[in-house]
Amino acid sequence: MKKHNFSAGPCILPQEVFEEASQGILDFQNSGLSILEISHRSEAFVSVIEEARSLALQLLGLENKGYSALFLHGGASTQFLMTAYNFLNKKAGYLNTGTWSSKAIKEAKLFGEVVEVGSSKDKNFNYIPKDYKIPSGLDYLHCTSNNTIYGTQIKDFPNIDAPLFCDMSSDIFSREMDFSKFDLIYAGAQKNMGPAGTTLVVIKNDLIKKVEREVPSMLNYKVHLEKDSMFNTPAVYAVYVSLLTLRWIKNNGGIKAMEQNNNAKADLLYKEIDRNPLFKGFAAPEDRSPMNVTFNLTDESRKEAFDELWKNAGINGLNGHRSVGGYRASMYNALRLESVEVLVSCMQKLEEQN
Ligand SMILES: *Cc1c(COP(=O)(O)O)cnc(C)c1O
């Protein structure tokens, strides 16, 4: 039986996507060939990556607005250094909201001066810093829209003169926003878009003019842009499955509908966390993420009983990240409301047992 999959990543994808993706391995579009054995330069694959690139921009409302979408290798972690390698000429600002931001900062320091404009490290990153000052003369400001490990999400992004870069790995395509605020967005596919192995980069074309350094080809945005994301062999299958997910998002009402569903799931679970005396939320209420819901037991001695309840209910992937402990329910686009209802009923059963 299919599990209720709350895994943080790689994560659940729509069942239809799994089915169509399996078919593509056996016989891709009735071609008599598997998608795994065709040339990435073939017409069939070029149309896959081109559709994925344009659909990504379309869903974000960035079509014909001077942006390009790329599917690159190396995960979001490669973007930590690639952004800095290309664009950190003197000084860049970073908002430190957790492990992933901290890793981005570490990489950036190899290339220039890093100003940590704000940090929530003092409280184990359970909130989003708000009243921070942004110095002038930055090459860019980097932030992380959703903090997968801590369950916090930035609701309001700063208005600044410098280019705004954002790691949206764990909430891309989950909520409506004015994405034209950003000059560069990146997201590892495996959190809300596809399987591991490819990273979506959405970049404002003009930004390339700001590159001053000699950058090796594979890490050079200009090279990937000029080669239409085909400088070397792309992660063919990961791009294909991402395309299927992007189509699924479009056919199911786009980001607007995703956001409504995500909010309904989040409301249900947060309401139970706040109501049930056996649980408490980890993230500051105003910064709570609808994608990753972090919570703890108020009395750790009930851990064994609760773990047994949710495991028996067919739930997978609920353990919290080691740096936070407790539980984390990741509720990406493809997770159904029914799965959250099952989790909530486990929480209520625990309460009845006591
Ligand atoms: C998972 C994650 C990453 C790391 O992604 P990789 O693709 O494994 O490199 C970076 N940032 C955020 C916000 C993440 O959730």
Side-chain angles (χ1 to χ4, degrees):
M1 208 188 72
K2 179 73 188 174
K3 296 250 168 120
H4 300 286
N5 191 8
F6 288 86
S7 170
C11 76
I12 186 171
L13 293 174
Q15 194 60 26
E16 300 98 288
V17 168
F18 288 137
E19 280 160 22
E20 204 177 339
S22 320
Q23 187 51 40
I25 290 186
L26 299 172
D27 186 359
F28 179 56
Q29 296 172 347
N30 300 315
S31 62
L33 293 165
S34 165
I35 180 136
L36 302 181
E37 62 181 340
I38 60 171
S39 166
H40 61 291
R41 307 271 174 208
S42 65
E43 221 174 279
F45 182 72
V46 170
S47 82
V48 165
I49 195 165
E50 282 308 308
E51 186 186 340
R53 294 176 71 204
S54 70
L55 198 46
L57 292 181
Q58 194 191 104
L59 288 167
L60 297 172
L62 293 176
E63 229 179 5
N64 305 318
K65 288 198 174 158
Y67 286 82
S68 298
L70 302 169
F71 284 91
L72 303 183
H73 292 284
S77 301
T78 296
Q79 294 307 308
F80 297 161
L81 67 106
M82 210 165 140
T83 42
Y85 206 156
N86 284 261
F87 300 114
L88 176 42
N89 298 316
K90 287 199 182 66
K91 184 170 74 172
Y94 279 73
L95 188 58
N96 190 0
T97 53
T99 301
W100 299 118
S101 312
S102 305
K103 288 187 173 178
I105 289 168
K106 177 168 177 251
E107 300 300 297
K109 282 181 176 165
L110 299 171
F111 299 94
E113 189 190 338
V114 168
V115 184
E116 223 175 274
V117 298
S119 170
S120 46
K121 198 171 179 187
D122 58 333
K123 290 188 177 165
N124 195 20
F125 300 111
N126 77 347
Y127 71 103
I128 301 288
K130 308 227 171 42
D131 297 321
Y132 49 88
K133 296 247 173 358
I134 299 166
S136 59
L138 295 178
D139 291 318
Y140 59 84
L141 178 71
H142 180 283
C143 55
T144 310
S145 58
N146 187 74
N147 298 283
T148 326
I149 294 173
Y150 310 89
T152 61
Q153 187 183 55
I154 300 179
K155 312 289 178 190
D156 297 307
F157 289 86
N159 290 308
I160 50 164
D161 294 331
L164 185 58
F165 293 3
C166 191
D167 175 359
M168 293 194 189
S169 292
S170 53
D171 69 352
I172 191 137
F173 303 121
S174 75
R175 57 170 166 164
E176 286 198 300
M177 257 199 275
D178 176 9
F179 292 97
S180 69
K181 253 182 119 96
F182 302 93
D183 298 80
L184 191 149
I185 296 167
Y186 61 88
Q190 71 276 14
K191 302 270 166 58
N192 208 20
M193 183 176 70
T198 192
T199 311
L200 174 67
V201 175
V202 172
I203 183 170
K204 207 171 198 169
N205 300 328
D206 279 352
L207 199 62
I208 291 303
K209 294 188 195 134
K210 297 187 187 276
V211 179
E212 292 177 7
R213 204 178 263 123
E214 196 84 51
V215 182
S217 306
M218 272 300 280
L219 300 177
N220 192 327
Y221 292 111
K222 187 159 180 266
V223 169
H224 292 290
L225 282 169
E226 283 171 355
K227 299 289 180 183
D228 288 324
S229 207
M230 294 272 271
F231 169 69
N232 75 325
T233 316
V236 169
Y237 194 61
V239 173
Y240 177 57
V241 182
S242 298
L243 168 63
L244 297 179
T245 310
L246 294 172
R247 280 187 192 153
W248 176 85
I249 294 172
K250 186 181 175 182
N251 295 336
N252 285 279
I255 298 184
K256 190 188 173 94
M258 297 297 128
E259 181 172 22
Q260 280 170 1
N261 290 338
N262 292 331
N263 286 343
K265 291 180 284 182
D267 286 349
L268 182 64
L269 184 52
Y270 281 121
K271 221 158 103 188
E272 179 61 17
I273 290 170
D274 291 339
R275 184 206 65 78
N276 193 324
L278 303 187
F279 295 94
K280 59 176 189 292
F282 172 76
E286 70 276 15
D287 300 322
R288 284 173 165 179
S289 162
M291 291 281 96
N292 312 96
V293 178
T294 46
F295 58 102
N296 297 77
L297 284 161
T298 44
D299 175 357
E300 277 299 317
S301 72
R302 297 194 176 97
K303 181 170 162 45
E304 211 175 313
F306 184 54
D307 289 354
E308 195 181 307
L309 274 171
W310 60 262
K311 281 175 186 164
N312 287 341
I315 286 174
N316 174 65
L318 202 64
N319 287 322
H321 189 274
R322 59 194 176 280
S323 53
V324 175
Y327 299 97
R328 170 173 55 170
S330 296
M331 310 199 295
Y332 298 112
N333 287 345
L335 185 89
R336 295 156 62 92
L337 184 69
E338 289 82 58
S339 295
V340 185
E341 286 166 353
V342 170
L343 172 56
V344 166
S345 79
C346 291
M347 295 163 78
Q348 292 172 348
K349 273 185 199 141
L350 186 72
E351 189 186 15
E352 284 158 22
Q353 279 178 10
N354 287 272

